[in-house]
Amino acid sequence: MLDLVSMIAADQRRWDDIPLLPTIFATSEPAKIAHFIDDFCRTHLSSAPIKTEFFAPSVGAVFGLCLSDGRRVVVKAHSSSHEAEFLRAVSQVQRYLVDQGYPCPRPILGPLPLCLGLATVEELVDEGAYGEPHDPAICRSLADLLVQLVNLLRNPSAIPGIQAAVFDQHPLPPGVLWSVPHNAIFDFAATATGAEWIDDLARPASETLASGAGELVLGHTDWSVKHVRYVAGKARVIYDWDSLARMKEPAMVGSAAMNFTYNEWGAPARPTCDEARAFVSAYETARGASFTPEEYRTLQASVTYRLAYGSRCEHSLNPTQTVYPADSCRALLACYGENFL
């Protein structure tokens, strides 16, 4: 597992620290984490990892591994903030989708205890290539795939073993604008000074989302080109299924319209206004119906809130910055406010 030790160490040098790791492993020492993963595989998969394909820390810590018995698996280590019931439901949805021919990895095990948190295991699928973020054909493909997903999951009670309520996003208490950020590197409370303009734009959008129109649907809430691999122009696999949530359909589409171009390989990560509008239009076409004016207001509020959340994350990392990169959420929010679409 020396390759995993070196991968963890390299990421720590890149990020200076990975606050997530101690919340799962009670340590950030690469050798100790590699030992925990090795022991987990030997115990629960009856096979030792002999090669590490990748290590990716984010909301969870993700390990792509080749096992001594020839299997290639992904071990996802989740912090204790993820409940076992939720992760079990995610696995059930994945199994259902695979059985329906939808392109997602098949679950293998979990959730199971791993140090301070929980771990799930799924097949490693890495065939194909990622799409060009700003290619109109990829925009249409992602919109179509999202419609397919929503339609397949429109009746979650038909999926054996799950209760749809486990995917509900619980409303924030009165007066609370932000939930706990998705990653421990962001501290909204400590960096509130200077972010008042962001909060002022987010607050009415949040209120509209709470009372807005739209059918509750189950879908993928981190819908991005970085999670989809293609083979011969067809989606081969979609990742990151612990991003499943039930929310109002126009709110989900608004979030996806602001997120679908997000990538980590150099192309501009944010869509232009025209690209975001094109995604919404492609979704409506694939859906077979346009959103009503009331639903569109909910969609627009979702776009604004998503931009504001991204702006708050950026502000948290650099609260003294006043000149923003052109492709940043803060630059877009400052330019367009609540009128991005």
Side-chain angles (χ1 to χ4, degrees):
M1 295 295 285
L2 289 177
D3 57 347
L4 177 55
V5 174
S6 63
M7 284 186 186
I8 297 172
D11 257 294
Q12 286 177 325
R13 287 192 296 271
R14 186 159 62 100
W15 294 106
D16 295 328
D17 189 17
I18 305 174
L20 163 80
L21 294 180
T23 69
I24 300 172
F25 299 103
T27 181
S28 57
E29 294 184 29
K32 289 184 178 180
I33 293 170
H35 169 76
F36 290 138
I37 295 300
D38 181 86
D39 183 66
F40 178 88
C41 291
R42 291 173 185 270
T43 300
H44 298 290
L45 295 168
S46 301
S47 186
I50 58 172
K51 180 184 177 183
T52 305
E53 297 285 359
F54 65 85
F55 163 67
S58 182
V59 178
V62 187
F63 306 84
L65 306 169
C66 296
L67 304 181
S68 58
D69 62 7
R71 285 180 293 171
R72 301 172 75 238
V73 302
V74 173
V75 177
K76 291 188 174 185
H78 308 267
S79 71
S80 57
S81 63
H82 280 78
E83 296 183 358
E85 181 185 13
F86 171 78
L87 293 175
R88 275 193 294 270
V90 168
S91 292
Q92 289 298 98
V93 170
Q94 282 185 250
R95 288 189 183 93
Y96 172 80
L97 290 172
V98 171
D99 290 343
Q100 301 302 311
Y102 195 78
C104 67
R106 184 178 292 277
I108 296 172
L109 282 177
L112 295 167
L114 174 61
C115 298
L116 302 179
L118 295 166
T120 55
V121 184
E122 64 187 28
E123 63 178 346
L124 196 166
V125 182
D126 57 2
E127 300 167 17
Y130 295 104
E132 164 54 45
H134 300 278
D135 182 347
I138 294 297
C139 171
R140 292 190 296 271
S141 168
L142 290 174
D144 186 63
L145 286 165
L146 188 56
V147 170
Q148 292 177 38
L149 178 65
V150 168
N151 288 338
L152 283 170
L153 301 182
R154 201 169 288 279
N155 182 20
S157 60
I159 303 172
I162 74 163
Q163 298 293 324
V166 75
F167 295 109
D168 287 349
Q169 296 186 322
H170 300 293
L172 296 172
V176 176
L177 184 57
W178 306 110
S179 59
V180 176
H182 69 282
N183 194 307
I185 65 173
F186 305 117
D187 188 340
F188 287 7
T191 56
T193 300
E196 293 85 358
W197 70 276
I198 301 173
D199 292 354
D200 287 344
L201 287 166
R203 193 165 289 107
S206 176
E207 293 168 356
T208 298
L209 287 173
S211 60
E215 178 188 358
L216 277 177
V217 297
L218 181 56
H220 190 300
T221 61
D222 191 12
W223 199 248
S224 161
V225 70
K226 74 169 186 172
H227 292 316
V228 186
R229 284 181 178 266
Y230 289 87
V231 173
K234 182 178 181 181
R236 171 64 181 91
V237 64
I238 301 171
Y239 303 126
D240 197 36
W241 289 96
D242 49 308
S243 292
L244 280 171
R246 191 164 66 160
M247 61 195 303
K248 293 169 184 173
E249 185 176 11
M252 183 188 65
V253 175
S255 178
M258 282 309 305
N259 195 58
F260 79 96
T261 59
Y262 188 80
N263 68 90
E264 296 171 348
W265 52 83
R270 311 296 169 191
T272 64
C273 295
D274 286 344
E275 287 174 327
R277 284 192 288 265
F279 182 90
V280 174
S281 178
Y283 185 93
E284 290 177 317
T285 298
R287 179 181 186 244
S290 298
F291 290 113
T292 67
E294 293 78 13
E295 289 173 328
Y296 201 84
R297 279 192 287 272
T298 303
L299 191 154
Q300 174 68 72
S302 178
V303 167
T304 302
Y305 189 81
R306 178 87 187 196
L307 261 181
Y309 178 80
S311 297
R312 266 308 220 121
C313 290
E314 293 171 359
H315 178 82
S316 176
L317 295 179
N318 197 344
T320 61
Q321 187 178 36
T322 56
V323 178
Y324 312 127
D327 187 40
S328 68
C329 289
R330 283 185 290 181
L332 294 175
L333 189 66
C335 180
Y336 294 101
E338 59 187 19
N339 299 309
F340 187 80
L341 292 185

